[in-house]
Amino acid sequence: MTEARDNSRRGASFYPRGMFSSLLLADFRYIWLANLAASFAMQMEMVARGWLIYDMTSSPLALTWVMLSSMLPSVVFSLAGGVIADRLGKKKIIITAQVLSTAAMFVLATIVYQGHVTFWHFIWFGIFNGTVMSLSMPARSSIIPELVGRRYVVNAMALQTSTFNLSRILGPTLAGALIAAFAAGDTTSTTGVGIVYYVIGGLFTTSIIATSMMRYRRNPGRRRDTSVLTDVGDGFRYMKQERIVVGLLIMGIGPMTFGFSSHMLLPAFNADAIGGGPQDLGLILTAMGAGALTGSLTLARLGDISRKGRVMFAAAYLWAVALAVFALSSNTFWAMFLGLFTGLFGSIMGSLNMSIVQLAVRADIRGRVMSINMMTFALTPLGVIPISAAAEFVGIEIGLLISASLLALTTALLGRAYPELQQIDKGHGPAMLRRVRPERSAEVDRG
């Protein structure tokens, strides 16, 4: 019996309240610590990897290819990961993936430390780690409601997002400081960067230990006499019947693509619009990360709020306004100040969207739905290409203004196409959806 289920039997009065209430549940605390360590490791690895690749190739395109090598496997393997998550024990899936990724990281660290690393090492390790992640992320995402219970889903998802936002602020700084310390000022030192890779491997090991400490033992209990393709088809058929889930997933992909374009185009904006240097870019990124962290912690503090749909749409529109004004920044101070709000509203919108998806989807099919979401989300960088083209030909400020306009436009179109999204209220299952489809309350209850 899981801790969350034990708590639910003791009555609503047992549930503590507050910003960090989910962390009072031991199993969630362990997975949160595991994600915090892994998030720091990934952010630090991005810095170390980018440092070495650019030093070896002097090519921004090389950086792009390495990024794509770790993202594209999600398009191919995420659906299989969803089936695995709904068939097998999620804890075993997560730990197995962590062990494989950690082993790969230590192997790469040794190659880098010995000075034998090449550009193609990063491509092959990127493909391997991307494949492992795509097979395990549906389990990692769908396990949260099972650990905390539906009452804490919004709080828990917001706290999970906070690990990424916190590492986004501190991880690159820590990696840069370690590289500077171990490389002793020699930016071409593979030995110094190799030591940093060993530190990253240590963080991944910490993630394994924290996950192993969970008492969670639940197995899906599903029949396994169906094929993988049948299970994948069941996932798509379920989504076809659930307009709300489809609308939520589209909202988590379309508007988010245009909203996050500012992050990908930020180096160009920093250089061309405000004439900033590397230090200015770091300050703006830190401000955006601080805003995102504030947004996730604010949502964690509010918890299971009422009128979730309206709040989600309001955050999306405010995100578009903040991005548009950010595009008109004339100096580093205003870019930092306005970047804080782009991070804030983007974090609230994204965290709340994912929380509602977790609440709306049936437990027995949640892994497959999350895998479909991952597969489509991996294609979102393609949506930034026309924005990047506009930025290159008519100016970065115009490009960001177009991005903000598309963010607002896609949000408005989704509101028209799926009006029930704005009617999502407080609670879970039938309590959350009653205002939309009261005739299906009994059916959702059974799910």
Side-chain angles (χ1 to χ4, degrees):
M1 183 73 68
T2 64
E3 183 176 0
R5 186 176 297 177
D6 287 340
N7 291 346
S8 67
R9 290 187 171 187
R10 301 180 191 179
S13 61
F14 176 82
Y15 286 89
R17 300 176 182 273
M19 182 183 296
F20 303 105
S21 54
S22 295
L23 291 174
L24 297 177
L25 303 174
D27 276 356
F28 177 75
R29 186 163 61 248
Y30 291 135
I31 198 71
W32 185 86
L33 289 172
N35 285 335
L36 182 64
S39 294
F40 265 89
M42 287 186 286
Q43 291 293 327
M44 292 172 65
E45 201 265 339
M46 286 177 60
V47 173
R49 181 184 65 199
W51 192 308
L52 270 183
I53 291 172
Y54 199 75
D55 178 71
M56 290 188 297
T57 66
S58 300
S59 169
L61 188 59
L63 295 172
T64 303
W65 283 119
V66 172
M67 180 189 70
L68 288 176
S69 73
S70 61
M71 293 184 65
L72 291 181
S74 293
V75 181
V76 180
F77 298 108
S78 288
L79 293 177
V83 173
I84 293 172
D86 287 335
R87 287 190 177 201
L88 305 178
K90 294 182 175 65
K91 180 180 176 181
K92 294 179 181 178
I93 297 171
I94 295 170
I95 292 178
T96 300
Q98 289 173 333
V99 170
L100 290 172
S101 296
T102 302
M105 187 59 61
F106 277 117
V107 171
L108 182 59
T110 302
I111 294 173
V112 172
Y113 182 79
Q114 294 177 345
H116 298 151
V117 68
T118 67
F119 168 75
W120 285 102
H121 281 113
F122 292 106
I123 293 291
W124 298 128
F125 277 96
I127 293 173
F128 176 82
N129 288 325
T131 301
V132 171
M133 181 173 292
S134 64
L135 290 172
S136 63
M137 277 304 294
R140 184 182 292 274
S141 300
S142 60
I143 198 175
I144 301 302
E146 299 176 19
L147 295 178
V148 303
R150 290 183 179 272
R151 181 185 296 265
Y152 283 151
V153 165
V154 176
N155 177 269
M157 293 303 298
L159 289 175
Q160 284 287 74
T161 303
S162 73
T163 64
F164 171 76
N165 292 329
L166 182 61
S167 66
R168 197 172 75 182
I169 299 171
L170 301 178
T173 302
L174 179 59
L178 289 174
I179 291 173
F182 293 130
D186 181 8
T187 59
T188 65
S189 171
T190 56
T191 300
V193 179
I195 295 175
V196 175
Y197 264 95
Y198 280 120
V199 173
I200 294 169
L203 286 171
F204 277 124
T205 303
T206 302
S207 182
I208 296 173
I209 295 171
T211 305
S212 301
M213 294 175 69
M214 292 195 306
R215 293 182 298 172
Y216 174 88
R217 293 290 184 274
R218 183 186 300 180
N219 288 313
R222 292 183 59 248
R223 294 176 60 187
R224 303 177 189 177
D225 55 357
T226 57
S227 68
V228 172
L229 290 178
T230 299
D231 279 3
V232 171
D234 288 344
F236 280 104
R237 281 188 289 273
Y238 171 81
M239 291 183 59
K240 184 178 179 181
Q241 298 168 2
E242 299 292 330
R243 276 180 52 84
I244 286 182
V245 175
V246 173
L248 287 169
L249 293 183
I250 294 175
M251 189 164 190
I253 296 169
M256 297 283 278
T257 297
F258 302 117
F260 279 119
S261 64
S262 60
H263 292 272
M264 297 188 181
L265 297 176
L266 193 58
F269 178 81
N270 175 68
D272 298 342
I274 63 177
Q279 185 176 6
D280 300 282
L281 178 61
L283 290 172
I284 298 171
L285 283 170
T286 300
M288 286 183 166
L293 179 62
T294 301
S296 57
L297 292 179
T298 300
L299 190 58
R301 177 66 181 86
L302 295 174
D304 190 19
I305 58 174
S306 59
R307 299 184 179 181
K308 290 184 179 68
R310 294 186 183 278
V311 173
M312 180 175 62
F313 272 83
Y317 285 123
L318 289 171
W319 189 11
V321 172
L323 181 57
V325 181
F326 172 81
L328 303 177
S329 303
S330 57
N331 55 53
T332 302
F333 171 79
W334 282 111
M336 289 177 61
F337 178 74
L338 296 169
L340 186 79
F341 289 98
T342 64
L344 173 71
F345 295 123
S347 177
I348 292 176
M349 186 267 183
S351 297
L352 191 53
N353 174 269
M354 187 58 66
S355 300
I356 300 173
V357 170
Q358 297 277 20
L359 289 167
V361 176
R362 286 201 334 252
D364 64 298
I365 206 165
R366 188 177 289 130
R368 277 165 285 176
V369 173
M370 299 309 298
S371 71
I372 294 171
N373 183 46
M374 280 187 58
M375 181 187 69
T376 53
F377 187 76
L379 297 173
T380 55
L382 299 177
V384 183
I385 293 176
I387 305 297
S388 302
E392 183 168 342
F393 290 108
V394 299
I396 183 64
E397 299 94 332
I398 301 299
L400 289 180
L401 286 172
I402 293 173
S403 183
S405 301
L406 290 173
L407 168 57
L409 178 61
T410 53
T411 301
L413 291 175
L414 276 167
R416 292 290 301 272
Y418 296 90
E420 56 266 45
L421 294 182
Q422 300 187 62
Q423 300 171 16
I424 294 174
D425 201 11
K426 186 176 182 178
H428 63 270
M432 183 177 67
L433 308 178
R434 183 175 295 117
R435 294 173 58 188
V436 182
R437 292 181 300 173
E439 73 280 0
R440 297 198 61 193
S441 291
E443 180 181 342
V444 179
D445 246 336
R446 288 193 298 270

